[in-house]
């Protein structure tokens, strides 16, 4: 274990000797025979790069990294691992926030970024198939001249198959839904190397009542059931007209009340994002903006010219009734990009408030009617806990994030962050919500999952896991 101590890596729950039982030249040669020597690495620096995501969890590197280029190679690699009892850890772009790529039991990391084909674009049916190396920005660039786009936008330029694995959502979910609503079929390499098509090979109907919903089972499974090697996605037409604006409010309560009332009025708003006054200070400094440093909604409207005008008028009336300011418009594409880039850079803006400190982003989601109460209580808790935690959220679907900035070398502050995060999650559960709206369970929220779903549901999940992964090799130590 001396090497890991030197590197500052967390100790594994097994000895180095146990790892060497399978990490042999014969095994590595078997991997090289599938993908070639250049696509297998045991170098320390490479392993470290694949042992962490953007979360606060410590680096836990795999023992080897492989880069398959197609589903056949991924299947053969999985078969080799399965036959020797070697853990398998999927890796996309590494943008997760709950330690989902940490190799807690060692094993082989499957970096899927070299599987980057876009296939089976059907513009008349609004569908496309993508491999794990395709990111959301790459797909939308590919679709630019088709009149179609893929709207699920978690902020990071994440792998689309990784987004399916974590059931990602983001700023457009209030209008277009999450990944769970936009995945029609998945190709999955199971732990033993078999290839599963969750809705049947090449099938892409908008709906189906045929058998169990296997696609939904794998969306959000966080790599614990299999390797997603292709996703068939639902596309959407690019709207005729788009308008974006910001609106400042005198209080958190006023901003969130407006959100609830906009949704209750049936206004089909495309994006409605909340940033508290601390977050607005951070965004202004980081992105060079000059917005009022008050609780603020970032808004976007999609539709025909007439429908957008009607949405804007109705939303504006609601905002003014709650003390909102006049809308500050971002009408041109460049101005809209600047606005949403500021929103997507919120994480880095928050970190810049205290250079040298680290950040922990935690998210919860509650029914819309409980949103005002939980946000107000959370703000009060942040103040009482003496923590810097800008709040930003996809409040149109009841989901928000606290971006907690702290010094990990300060045990007192680190302890307050951990305690606050647990209180926040349990506050959401007490309000009939969930401990995570989009980040996933990963390493950090397994106890909270138990509290959320109960023993019967958790036992059912374990039975499903045991059926598909009887050796517990797929991303072990996560979720359950």
């Amino acid at each position: 274990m001396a090497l890991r101590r030197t590197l500052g890596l967390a100790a594994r729950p097994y000895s180095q000797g146990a790892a060497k039982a399978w990490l042999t030249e014969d095994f590595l040669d078997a991997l090289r025979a599938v993908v070639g020597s250049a696509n297998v690495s045991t170098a320390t620096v490479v392993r470290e790069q694949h042992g962490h995501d953007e979360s606060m969890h410590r680096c836990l590197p795999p023992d080897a990294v492989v880069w398959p280029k197609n589903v056949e190679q991924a299947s053969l690699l999985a078969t080799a691992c399965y036959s020797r009892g070697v853990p398998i850890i999927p890796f996309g772009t590494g943008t997760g926030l709950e330690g989902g790529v940490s190799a807690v039991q060692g094993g082989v990391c499957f970096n899927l970024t070299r599987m980057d084909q876009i296939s089976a674009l059907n513009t008349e049916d609004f569908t496309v198939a993508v491999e794990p190396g395709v990111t959301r920005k790459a797909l939308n660039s590919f679709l630019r001249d088709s009149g179609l786009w893929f709207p699920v936008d978690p902020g990071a330029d994440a792998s689309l198959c990784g987004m399916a694995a974590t059931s990602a959502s983001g700023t457009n979910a209030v209008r277009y839904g999450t990944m769970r609503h936009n995945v029609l079929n998945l190709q999955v390499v199971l732990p033993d190397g078999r290839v599963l098509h969750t809705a049947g090979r090449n099938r892409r109907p908008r709906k189906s009542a045929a058998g169990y919903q296997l696609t939904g089972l794998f969306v959000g499974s966080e790599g614990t059931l299999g390797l997603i090697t292709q996703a068939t996605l639902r596309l959407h037409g690019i709207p005729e007209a788009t308008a974006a604006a910001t609106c400042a409010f005198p209080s958190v309560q006023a901003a969130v009340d407006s959100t609830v009332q906009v949704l209750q009025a049936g206004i089909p708003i495309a994006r409605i994002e909340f940033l508290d006054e601390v977050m607005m200070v951070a965004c202004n400094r980081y992105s060079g903006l000059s917005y009022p440093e008050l609780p603020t909604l970032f808004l976007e409207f999609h539709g025909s010219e007439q429908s957008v005008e009607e949405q804007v008028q109705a939303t504006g009336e609601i905002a003014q009734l709650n003390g909102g300011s006049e809308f500050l418009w971002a009408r041109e594409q460049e101005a809209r990009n600047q606005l949403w880039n500021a929103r997507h850079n919120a994480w880095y803006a928050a970190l810049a408030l205290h250079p040298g400190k680290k950040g922990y982003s935690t998210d919860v989601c509650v029914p819309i009617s409980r949103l005002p109460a939980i946000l107000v209580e959370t703000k009060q808790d942040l103040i009482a806990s003496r923590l810097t935690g800008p709040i930003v959220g996809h409040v149109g679907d009841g989901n928000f994030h606290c971006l907690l900035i702290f010094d990990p070398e300060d045990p007192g502050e680190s302890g307050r962050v951990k305690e606050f995060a647990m209180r926040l999650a349990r506050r959401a559960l007490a309000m009939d919500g969930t401990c995570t709206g989009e980040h996933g369970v990963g390493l950090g929220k397994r106890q909270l999952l138990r509290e959320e779903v109960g023993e019967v549901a958790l036992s059912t999940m374990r039975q499903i896991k045991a059926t598909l992964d009887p050796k517990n090799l797929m991303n072990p130590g996560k979720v359950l």
Side-chain angles (χ1 to χ4, degrees), residues 147-231:
L148 302 174
W149 72 311
F150 186 72
V152 181
D153 176 7
D157 189 24
S159 156
L160 289 159
C161 289
M163 288 166 59
T166 56
S167 193
S169 52
T171 57
N172 289 308
V174 64
R175 173 75 173 265
Y176 298 98
T178 70
M179 287 300 290
R180 196 171 296 280
H181 304 101
N182 286 281
V183 176
L184 301 175
N185 198 352
L186 293 171
Q187 179 189 77
V188 181
V189 174
L190 296 174
D192 61 5
R194 290 178 298 157
V195 178
L196 167 70
H197 298 269
T198 57
R201 185 184 295 272
N202 298 326
R203 303 204 181 278
R204 47 190 172 83
R206 284 295 186 96
K207 62 181 182 179
S208 172
Y212 296 135
Q213 232 291 359
L214 295 181
T215 303
L217 174 63
F218 282 88
V219 173
S221 61
E222 301 186 40
T224 62
L225 301 179
L227 296 154
I228 297 176
T229 52
Q230 186 183 72

Side-chain angles (χ1 to χ4, degrees), residues 126-336:
F126 294 75
T127 63
V128 69
V130 298
E131 290 184 339
V134 181
T135 66
R136 64 174 185 87
K137 288 184 179 179
L139 175 60
N140 280 325
S141 178
F142 176 84
L143 295 171
R144 185 174 296 140
D145 297 326
S146 69
L148 302 174
W149 72 311
F150 186 72
V152 181
D153 176 7
D157 189 24
S159 156
L160 289 159
C161 289
M163 288 166 59
T166 56
S167 193
S169 52
T171 57
N172 289 308
V174 64
R175 173 75 173 265
Y176 298 98
T178 70
M179 287 300 290
R180 196 171 296 280
H181 304 101
N182 286 281
V183 176
L184 301 175
N185 198 352
L186 293 171
Q187 179 189 77
V188 181
V189 174
L190 296 174
D192 61 5
R194 290 178 298 157
V195 178
L196 167 70
H197 298 269
T198 57
R201 185 184 295 272
N202 298 326
R203 303 204 181 278
R204 47 190 172 83
R206 284 295 186 96
K207 62 181 182 179
S208 172
Y212 296 135
Q213 232 291 359
L214 295 181
T215 303
L217 174 63
F218 282 88
V219 173
S221 61
E222 301 186 40
T224 62
L225 301 179
L227 296 154
I228 297 176
T229 52
Q230 186 183 72
T232 301
L233 305 174
R234 176 183 178 181
L235 302 176
H236 299 259
I238 295 175
E240 174 190 335
T242 299
T246 65
C247 182
F249 291 84
S251 67
V252 170
Q253 182 83 46
V256 181
D257 283 346
S258 293
T259 300
V260 174
Q261 291 163 22
V262 165
L263 298 174
Q264 289 173 335
I267 299 169
I269 198 160
R271 302 185 188 186
I272 183 164
E273 295 285 298
F274 170 77
L275 293 82
D276 74 356
E277 69 282 0
V278 182
M279 192 73 257
M280 291 304 298
V281 169
C283 286
N284 278 343
R285 291 181 186 175
Y286 186 81
S287 298
L289 303 174
S290 57
Y291 290 122
E293 293 176 349
L294 295 168
T296 299
L297 293 179
F298 283 23
L299 308 156
E300 190 163 282
F301 308 90
H302 295 173
S304 65
E305 295 284 356
Q306 180 178 346
S307 75
V308 165
E309 186 60 37
E310 291 171 352
Q311 292 173 51
V312 167
Q313 181 176 347
T315 303
E317 290 172 357
I318 291 171
Q320 288 185 5
L321 288 173
N322 286 285
S325 67
E326 294 292 328
F327 285 178
L328 296 178
W329 290 101
R331 297 183 183 278
E332 302 303 321
Q333 182 68 52
E334 183 177 353
R336 292 201 305 272

Side-chain angles (χ1 to χ4, degrees), residues 274-434:
F274 170 77
L275 293 82
D276 74 356
E277 69 282 0
V278 182
M279 192 73 257
M280 291 304 298
V281 169
C283 286
N284 278 343
R285 291 181 186 175
Y286 186 81
S287 298
L289 303 174
S290 57
Y291 290 122
E293 293 176 349
L294 295 168
T296 299
L297 293 179
F298 283 23
L299 308 156
E300 190 163 282
F301 308 90
H302 295 173
S304 65
E305 295 284 356
Q306 180 178 346
S307 75
V308 165
E309 186 60 37
E310 291 171 352
Q311 292 173 51
V312 167
Q313 181 176 347
T315 303
E317 290 172 357
I318 291 171
Q320 288 185 5
L321 288 173
N322 286 285
S325 67
E326 294 292 328
F327 285 178
L328 296 178
W329 290 101
R331 297 183 183 278
E332 302 303 321
Q333 182 68 52
E334 183 177 353
R336 292 201 305 272
N337 287 344
Q338 184 183 45
L339 187 156
W340 292 112
N341 283 338
R343 165 61 186 89
H344 289 323
N345 287 330
W347 170 248
Y348 304 105
L351 288 174
L353 288 172
H354 295 287
K357 289 195 173 186
K358 301 295 184 182
Y360 171 53
S361 176
T362 187
D363 84 308
V364 297
C365 187
V366 296
I368 298 294
S369 63
R370 309 304 300 272
L371 190 59
I374 193 171
L375 275 170
V376 170
E377 289 181 26
T378 299
K379 289 286 290 182
Q380 293 169 346
D381 194 356
L382 281 167
I383 294 168
S385 301
R386 294 176 288 115
L387 292 173
T388 299
I391 293 177
V392 60
H394 319 305
V395 287
D397 47 20
N399 181 209
F400 69 94
H401 312 260
C402 280
L403 312 182
L404 299 160
I405 312 303
F406 70 106
D407 179 1
E409 302 301 320
D410 180 340
E413 191 173 35
S414 297
R416 294 199 306 276
V417 165
K418 182 177 180 180
E419 291 165 3
F420 169 86
M422 291 298 285
R423 284 196 303 274
L424 174 60
R426 288 177 172 140
R427 188 178 299 125
L429 297 183
M431 294 185 180
D432 302 325
T434 176

